[in-house]
Amino acid sequence: MLLIPCPFCGPRPELEFRYGGQAHIARPENPAALSDGEWAEFLYLRDNVRGVHAERWRHIHGCARFFNMLRDTTTDRILTTYKTGEPRPEAV
Amino acid sequence: MPDSLTTTFGTTPAAAGPAREPFRTTAGGRIDRARPLAFRFDGKTYAGVQGDTLASALLANGVHLVGRSFKYHRPRGIMTAGSDEPNALVTVSRDAARTTPNLRATQVELYDGLAAISQNRFPSLAFDVGAINDRISSLLPAGFYYKTFMWPRGFWDRVYEPLIRSAAGLGRVPTAPDPDRYLQRHAHCDVLVIGAGPAGLAAALAAADAGARVILCDEQAEMGGSLLADRQSTIAGRPASAWVAEALAELAGHERVTLLPRTTAFGYYPHNHLGLVERATDHLAAPSTEVPRERLWQVRAREVVLAAGALERPLTFPENDRPGIMLADAAHTYVARYGVLPGRRAVVAAANDSGYRAALALAEEGVEIAAIADLRRAPSGAWLDAARKAGLPVQTGMTVTGTSGSLRVDGVSLASVEDGGEVGATRDVGCDLLLMAGGWTPSVHLFSQSLGKLRFDEALQAYVPGIAAQPIRAAGGADGEYGLEEALSGGQRAGVEAAAAAGVSGASPRVFVTVSPPADTSSVLGALPHPTASRGRDPSRVRAFVDFQNDSTAKDLKLAVREGFRSVEHAKRYTTTGMATDQGKTSNMPMLGVLSQAQGKTIPEVGFTTFRPPFTPTTFGIFAGAARGELFDPARRTPIHPWAAAHGAVFEDVGLWKRARYFPQRHRNGAAEDMDAAVARECLAVRQGVGIFDATTLGKIEVVGPDAAEFMNRMYINPWAKLGVGRCRYGVMLREDGFVLDDGVVGRIAPDRFHVTTTTGGAASVLNMMEDYLQTEWADLQVWLTSVTEQWAVIAVQGPRARDVLAPLVDGIDLSAGALPHMALAEGRICGVPTRLFRVSFTGELGFEVNVPAGYGRQVWEAIHESGQPYGITPYGTETMHVLRAEKGFIIVGQETDGTATPDDVGLGWAIGKAKPDFVGKRSLTRSGMMDPGRKQLAGLVSADGQTVLEEGAQLVGDARMNVPMSVLGHVTSSYYSAVLGHPIALAMLAGGRSRHGETLYVPMPRGLAGSIAPIAVKVVPPVFYDPEGTRLDV
């Protein structure tokens, strides 16, 4: 079980969290302006990273906040967590 | 075979009670000879003593034959003295429920009255008909079932699979539910030390000295590891065993140290989260019911010290699997720790000095050493000198070419290996014990589980821990440090470093002055040299076992390589080597050795397989813990639940909720109505009078804030800006991919306040999705979301008389059609209690949903029920609710929809706010595939015969005479008998359904003989069956 440092609550066990998929995929400002292909890419295409991955988590059984995390998918090492809206930090 | 063994295999009756143990030494070891125990194995009574394992007690009685092998049913004995045992698997049974198969006899602690039976044999261990597999082994090569059971096709289901299933598996599951308790607990520590041998004890002492919180666990009953069998070494001037006692006493005195004997660290998970299982009562003759059988410790450790020791390697030579063939270190342990002689006349095959150590210990107790066959050409050192000095017959540059004996080894064939690798003439040596010393393999399983990288150490010819992926460090044998002094100093260093890494330091290092025989690092890998066909036996008939538990041989591995299984991962799976319950503890390195020989590659080139949890098999009980029966899942009950239960409701599970499904009435003769009769009665009551229904489980979310309407506009397909205060709207929510996620009635309480209802099952996911958009996409919106599902009890009152029932109870609310039309809401009081009263209908009748604070739910329900008595008010359940809504063509999300339905597919296109520029899912609705007129659409069905109730999930086809596989047009989503219409009705998702009204289609159902199909003719109709004009609503 991961030990996840919630940016608001500190380290808490993974059981309190829910995974939220890849981070930094903003919903397009004007979806109507996108072609079917571009929209499908937004909907369905995600990275399958071997290494450091930026992903969303929600502390659903805690403060209920969404936040972002850099995690190495090969070792599960968490490099850092940061608040929604902040830019992706440089990989440590 | 020595005379003393014959009784073991004979039929001596057990009635005379346990006999003297013929192979027990008179003194020494860590057993208590003053506390005799009796136990039974395969029905026969034997004697043992306190401190024995089942294995040591069996050996004390001369019993080596304890099991039959998995595939070939070969007789097998006790090979090890610990958790690496592949052969001696037994079932220990206290009663029909307390029966545990596949326990390693080497780990089962003896208690008085213990009853164990052998496995995988019929009718008896000594005579097993399954042993025919051994005779026909040439027909059962690696992967034989992939190659053999291929035709005829129909035989697989009826003949081959049942046969294979009955032959597969080890042991039998208990026949009664497990009555024992299992507990789970969490623990945190600075340093977790795994293994309490010299390295582990030194690490625990060092970390404790530094002030760290320490947990020290060891899988054995007694802590001390190899020191418990060490009669030569001294530490700080004291015998090893005395030092162990002092170290344990000191650790026990530290208040920050937890000692966990009988506790296996079985799994290593991310972020230094480890699973430990503590066996609390399995060693007791009469366990107290106050104590759980096992405890699962979930430990979060800042740092881990892996001091799990090293395992001795077996040797890979022909017939290396007979009872009486044992690891040298195991034999040494049986003599030194348990006071048991594993034989009378021993041959030792050694590639490591461990063989000399065992031979000397056995010789000291009077065991005849018939030969020490050293595989090394020119060994040297103190152990060899001591053996020569003791007059033991040592021969160097030897190999083992085979063994003999049926139920016990009775001879060994030895041969010399010449300089060129040529194997000389064989010489047969009689014996009842053959020891194997193949060198050491560090126990790196948990390091591998922790995702650390292993490194091949050329000098040790073994994998050792390399780069760690988590805060773990290895010490002692697990780190390839086999000597006592290195283990102690390595353990101490690991303990100090681990404590410092955990943020505590300040220990003054100890110095361990040790006197100990030198450690030997030599080892051998791969099959031992064997004569060529012309000189020896037919090589195709020679079997050298690599994985003893799964019966895979060097020949199987070579065959796998010849058949193209190049990757070690493929060869492993094809031959199943290392995949048995022992996780390849004794077989992994020998497998790599054989593959290396067969492929002409180095060991690192062959690669390595990953060890996975559990280290040793664990019970399911510890994972279930208290989550059994009533406690398996939490149950959610509404405030009205007790009333429903008292009125005979039959409940169904909806998510975690218990919902009343129907309320069967008792007939005069005492029999209860069946569901069909109850539902028909409840349905007619609602259509003709009035019904009362507990809708409390509906999800409820309060959406509040200045931007609430804008937020609702973006989340739902409907327009919200113009919805007046005091009005309701049926809302539909999509996922971003355009498919229906949830629906429910939304009421506007105030300009900045919406009372949103969701489906019972969708409440959590709807709130999660709302929070997701609010927090991550539209953080600028001033909106707050609160789940109020538990705060409101909801009582639906439905039917033509609903207004009459409620009118006397409300205060400050005008229920008239003019003041409170359909889809309006009012706030006021009912029965003196505050209420949000919605005029809504999921039945098509005049209807109200009375929301009151949950604590008043039952009181108001009872008052409404009382008020409805003059009108014959009828409580109804979810089944009736389903029928009533289906008669009206109302969908249920998750029943009509399956995650691929658009609003238009289910007839809800009208709900879309056409003028809205955007909402979640809008863009997806204009993708070409989403607008295809041939998409499955909601339609109604009536069966042509007017009486057949279709099966939900049944397929729809256009032509009844088609051959299988038919082309399918859609499927039935809901199907009921409609009491008010007098015939069955069904809803379906049907390709182009809206343009098929009037068509006749067919539901092909299997009937009679397998394969034959009887189609049911159905007519496609609009999905609203009852009151399509909606006149009953507006009254």
Side-chain angles (χ1 to χ4, degrees):
Chain A
M1 197 187 332
L2 304 181
L3 188 64
I4 297 177
C6 170
F8 305 94
C9 308
R12 307 293 305 166
E14 184 184 345
L15 277 178
E16 297 182 5
F17 297 83
R18 175 190 285 198
Y19 185 67
Q22 186 174 343
H24 303 298
I25 296 177
R27 188 174 190 271
E29 285 287 324
N30 183 7
L34 269 57
S35 70
D36 279 3
E38 288 165 338
W39 182 249
E41 191 167 318
F42 159 72
L43 278 183
Y44 299 117
L45 292 191
R46 296 293 181 269
D47 296 335
N48 185 15
V49 177
R50 189 175 197 279
V52 178
H53 187 227
E55 58 198 19
R56 302 172 346 128
W57 286 79
R58 184 180 180 208
H59 195 188
I60 188 163
H61 302 299
C63 64
R65 301 296 299 271
F66 280 85
F67 60 91
N68 293 333
M69 180 200 276
L70 292 186
R71 179 178 62 97
D72 188 329
T73 58
T74 62
T75 61
D76 276 329
R77 189 166 74 91
I78 295 170
L79 287 75
T80 186
T81 55
Y82 52 102
K83 293 176 184 171
T84 297
E86 292 177 356
R88 175 179 169 149
E90 291 294 312
V92 181
Chain B
M1 184 182 298
D3 288 344
S4 50
L5 287 181
T6 52
T7 53
T8 305
F9 306 124
T11 53
T12 313
R20 195 180 57 82
E21 307 153 89
F23 290 85
R24 183 77 70 186
T25 61
T26 51
R30 302 186 67 84
I31 46 163
D32 187 352
R33 289 178 178 75
R35 293 173 65 190
L37 307 172
F39 70 100
R40 294 172 78 79
F41 179 64
D42 277 352
K44 189 178 169 189
T45 302
Y46 297 95
V49 295
Q50 186 68 36
D52 262 328
T53 63
L54 177 59
S56 71
L58 286 167
L59 292 174
N61 290 280
V63 179
H64 278 253
L65 173 67
V66 293
R68 288 275 177 169
S69 71
F70 178 57
K71 182 172 166 186
Y72 300 124
H73 290 250
R74 287 174 64 88
R76 289 285 165 80
I78 296 160
M79 193 171 99
T80 75
S83 61
D84 48 342
E85 176 60 40
N87 288 336
L89 301 182
V90 297
T91 297
V92 175
S93 181
R94 292 183 197 262
D95 54 45
R98 292 180 171 87
T99 293
T100 313
N102 296 333
L103 291 174
R104 292 148 303 283
T106 50
Q107 285 193 296
V108 173
E109 288 178 62
L110 201 67
Y111 57 78
D112 200 41
L114 181 139
I117 55 169
S118 58
Q119 301 180 165
N120 217 36
R121 81 291 187 271
F122 176 83
S124 75
L125 194 50
F127 176 75
D128 171 21
V129 295
I132 185 72
N133 286 2
D134 197 32
R135 301 274 174 205
I136 59 167
S137 63
S138 56
L139 302 177
L140 307 174
F144 73 95
Y145 42 80
Y146 304 129
K147 299 165 179 166
T148 311
F149 301 111
M150 299 179 66
W151 26 250
R153 169 64 187 86
F155 266 43
W156 178 256
D157 297 333
R158 274 169 284 162
V159 182
Y160 297 143
E161 189 178 350
L163 266 176
I164 291 170
R165 292 235 176 263
S166 72
L170 272 174
R172 292 281 175 266
V173 294
T175 53
D178 188 344
D180 286 322
R181 286 193 309 131
Y182 300 81
L183 288 193
Q184 300 178 334
R185 58 172 296 177
H186 295 263
H188 298 261
C189 64
D190 296 317
V191 181
L192 169 66
V193 181
I194 299 164
L201 288 171
L205 284 168
D209 285 348
R213 290 175 302 157
V214 176
I215 294 176
L216 173 61
C217 70
D218 192 285
E219 63 180 357
Q220 298 197 39
E222 250 192 304
M223 289 187 162
S226 63
L227 297 176
L228 298 175
D230 191 335
R231 298 198 292 200
Q232 284 95 19
S233 305
T234 64
I235 304 171
R238 291 183 287 288
S241 59
W243 181 83
V244 169
E246 285 170 26
L248 288 173
E250 194 181 333
L251 287 168
H254 268 286
E255 62 177 17
R256 292 158 77 84
V257 173
T258 305
L259 296 178
L260 294 176
R262 297 192 177 92
T263 302
T264 302
F266 64 82
Y268 205 121
Y269 305 101
H271 300 177
N272 266 17
H273 184 243
L274 287 96
L276 277 50
V277 58
E278 178 187 7
R279 290 170 292 277
T281 63
D282 273 2
H283 63 293
L284 300 174
S288 156
T289 53
E290 301 295 305
V291 181
R293 182 185 176 208
E294 293 180 342
R295 279 188 200 92
L296 171 68
W297 290 72
Q298 293 193 56
V299 178
R300 184 79 70 173
R302 286 190 201 280
E303 297 288 324
V304 169
V305 175
L306 180 66
L311 303 171
E312 193 163 52
R313 267 177 222 168
L315 296 169
T316 309
F317 56 81
E319 299 101 29
N320 55 349
D321 67 324
R322 298 188 198 281
I325 302 179
M326 182 179 283
L327 295 176
D329 185 56
H332 178 264
T333 299
Y334 286 119
V335 173
R337 183 167 164 190
Y338 297 101
V340 169
L341 303 181
R344 300 279 188 221
R345 182 178 156 89
V347 172
V348 181
N352 179 286
D353 288 350
S354 164
Y356 293 102
R357 181 165 108 130
L360 284 161
L362 290 168
E364 207 173 296
E365 296 289 349
V367 175
E368 181 189 350
I369 306 299
I372 300 179
D374 199 319
L375 310 178
R376 296 168 290 189
R377 301 204 59 75
S380 62
W383 283 110
L384 177 64
D385 297 342
R388 288 218 161 105
K389 192 173 159 198
L392 303 185
V394 179
Q395 293 169 279
T396 61
M398 301 293 289
T399 188
V400 182
T401 60
T403 69
S404 59
S406 57
L407 300 179
R408 171 95 182 253
V409 67
D410 64 12
V412 185
S413 301
L414 302 174
S416 61
V417 183
E418 306 304 325
D419 284 332
E422 186 79 351
V423 176
T426 61
R427 175 172 71 93
D428 294 344
V429 182
C431 66
D432 64 355
L433 179 66
L434 171 57
L435 304 185
M436 303 183 283
W440 299 100
T441 302
S443 183
V444 296
H445 303 72
L446 288 166
F447 188 87
S448 174
Q449 283 189 28
S450 78
L451 301 178
K453 284 197 168 55
L454 299 173
R455 174 179 65 81
F456 189 70
D457 187 308
E458 287 291 343
L460 300 179
Q461 287 290 295
Y463 280 98
V464 294
I467 299 163
Q470 301 199 41
I472 177 175
R473 63 203 76 223
D479 201 25
E481 297 168 334
Y482 302 143
L484 178 57
E485 186 149 0
E486 297 100 298
L488 288 167
S489 60
Q492 150 122 334
R493 188 170 58 247
V496 169
E497 288 174 4
V504 280
S505 53
S508 46
R510 302 181 187 213
V511 178
F512 299 104
V513 180
T514 60
V515 179
S516 181
D520 180 20
T521 59
S522 46
S523 64
V524 67
L525 274 175
L528 299 193
H530 190 74
T532 53
S534 57
R535 302 203 32 211
R537 296 174 299 159
D538 175 2
S540 73
R541 304 208 63 85
V542 167
R543 273 174 301 162
F545 286 86
V546 173
D547 184 329
F548 293 80
Q549 194 171 118
N550 266 354
D551 263 353
S552 76
T553 64
K555 195 174 65 176
D556 292 329
L557 286 165
K558 289 172 188 162
L559 177 69
V561 171
R562 279 206 306 280
E563 292 185 358
F565 294 90
R566 296 276 159 195
S567 158
V568 63
E569 297 284 3
H570 293 158
K572 163 186 156 169
R573 281 161 180 77
Y574 189 54
T575 62
T576 71
T577 307
M579 294 173 69
T581 64
D582 64 354
Q583 279 279 291
K585 290 184 182 65
T586 51
S587 60
N588 199 278
M589 288 309 294
M591 169 183 77
L592 297 180
V594 173
L595 290 176
S596 160
Q597 289 172 328
Q599 299 186 346
K601 291 179 176 175
T602 65
I603 298 278
E605 283 169 348
V606 168
F608 196 75
T609 58
T610 310
F611 291 112
R612 292 186 177 83
F615 178 73
T616 47
T618 49
T619 61
F620 285 114
I622 57 159
F623 297 112
R628 299 173 14 166
E630 283 284 291
L631 298 179
F632 179 69
D633 249 351
R636 300 176 82 183
R637 295 185 176 87
T638 75
I640 296 147
H641 185 99
W643 187 95
H647 287 74
V650 174
F651 292 92
E652 67 169 340
D653 290 341
V654 180
L656 296 177
W657 287 103
K658 304 287 177 191
R659 298 198 74 179
R661 192 175 186 196
Y662 58 99
F663 290 81
Q665 287 192 340
R666 297 251 158 226
H667 296 296
R668 285 210 192 91
N669 64 8
E673 272 179 325
D674 65 13
M675 186 173 84
D676 289 345
V679 169
R681 174 180 51 73
E682 291 172 10
C683 283
L684 289 174
V686 173
R687 293 270 178 243
Q688 293 162 3
V690 61
I692 181 168
F693 174 70
D694 181 2
T696 302
T697 62
L698 281 180
K700 296 174 269 309
I701 300 168
E702 194 131 318
V703 178
V704 183
D707 297 320
E710 173 62 20
F711 178 69
M712 290 296 293
N713 257 347
R714 297 187 192 181
M715 292 306 303
Y716 280 82
I717 67 174
N718 319 69
W720 300 97
K722 290 182 181 156
L723 181 69
V725 171
R727 288 290 182 269
C728 308
R729 186 159 282 163
Y730 169 70
V732 178
M733 179 184 268
L734 309 183
R735 303 186 310 219
E736 200 68 272
D737 60 11
F739 297 125
V740 174
L741 173 73
D742 202 78
D743 66 351
V745 169
V746 177
R748 192 162 197 172
I749 306 293
D752 61 350
R753 184 175 295 263
F754 290 83
H755 179 115
V756 175
T757 66
T758 72
T759 59
T760 294
S765 58
V766 168
L767 181 61
N768 188 63
M769 191 167 110
M770 285 182 170
E771 283 285 355
D772 192 343
Y773 281 94
L774 189 56
Q775 290 185 32
T776 69
E777 294 290 350
W778 308 318
D780 55 316
L781 292 185
Q782 295 276 301
V783 178
W784 290 268
L785 307 171
T786 309
S787 168
V788 291
T789 301
E790 302 275 354
Q791 273 61 46
W792 295 103
V794 184
I795 303 159
V797 183
Q798 304 274 314
R801 309 308 297 267
R803 187 180 287 124
D804 302 324
V805 175
L806 291 177
L809 303 177
V810 295
D811 189 8
I813 301 174
D814 182 352
L815 293 180
S816 70
L820 193 67
H822 180 55
M823 297 306 268
L825 73 87
E827 289 186 281
R829 300 183 95 78
I830 185 167
C831 309
V833 171
T835 182
R836 285 179 183 172
L837 201 157
F838 289 65
R839 182 168 165 197
V840 290
S841 173
F842 199 39
T843 59
E845 303 296 332
L846 169 67
F848 300 90
E849 288 188 359
V850 180
N851 287 252
V852 293
Y856 295 111
R858 179 163 179 188
Q859 176 191 334
V860 174
W861 171 281
E862 289 183 0
I864 295 172
H865 186 251
E866 182 62 31
S867 171
Q869 287 309 308
Y871 312 101
I873 194 166
T874 300
Y876 65 96
T878 51
E879 196 65 26
T880 293
M881 178 267 282
H882 281 146
V883 178
L884 294 172
R885 65 89 203 175
E887 287 170 346
K888 289 294 296 177
F890 297 149
I891 65 158
I892 286 185
V893 171
Q895 185 151 346
E896 272 64 43
T897 72
D898 59 1
T900 65
T902 67
D904 185 62
D905 293 345
V906 286
L908 298 176
W910 58 266
I912 296 173
K914 304 289 186 300
K916 292 203 295 180
D918 192 14
F919 55 80
V920 172
K922 179 178 169 71
R923 175 64 184 84
S924 295
L925 296 179
T926 57
R927 300 179 70 201
S928 57
M930 304 291 262
M931 300 186 293
D932 183 348
R935 289 181 64 82
K936 285 188 184 176
Q937 295 166 341
L938 183 69
L941 301 176
V942 288
S943 30
D945 65 6
Q947 49 188 316
T948 304
V949 180
L950 302 173
E951 273 194 39
E952 291 178 354
Q955 304 292 314
L956 290 163
V957 300
D959 181 351
R961 293 156 304 175
M962 262 191 293
N963 290 324
V964 177
M966 302 177 168
S967 37
V968 170
L969 297 172
H971 63 281
V972 178
T973 57
S974 296
S975 176
Y976 311 96
Y977 178 79
S978 167
V980 73
L981 298 172
H983 62 79
I985 58 168
L987 296 174
M989 291 302 287
L990 174 63
R994 277 200 291 275
S995 59
R996 289 183 184 267
H997 295 170
E999 284 185 25
T1000 295
L1001 301 178
Y1002 300 90
V1003 175
M1005 297 298 289
R1007 291 285 162 83
L1009 288 171
S1012 62
I1013 285 171
I1016 302 164
V1018 295
K1019 194 175 146 202
V1020 182
V1021 296
V1024 184
F1025 297 89
Y1026 185 70
D1027 186 28
E1029 298 79 25
T1031 53
R1032 301 182 65 85
L1033 276 175
D1034 292 316
V1035 292

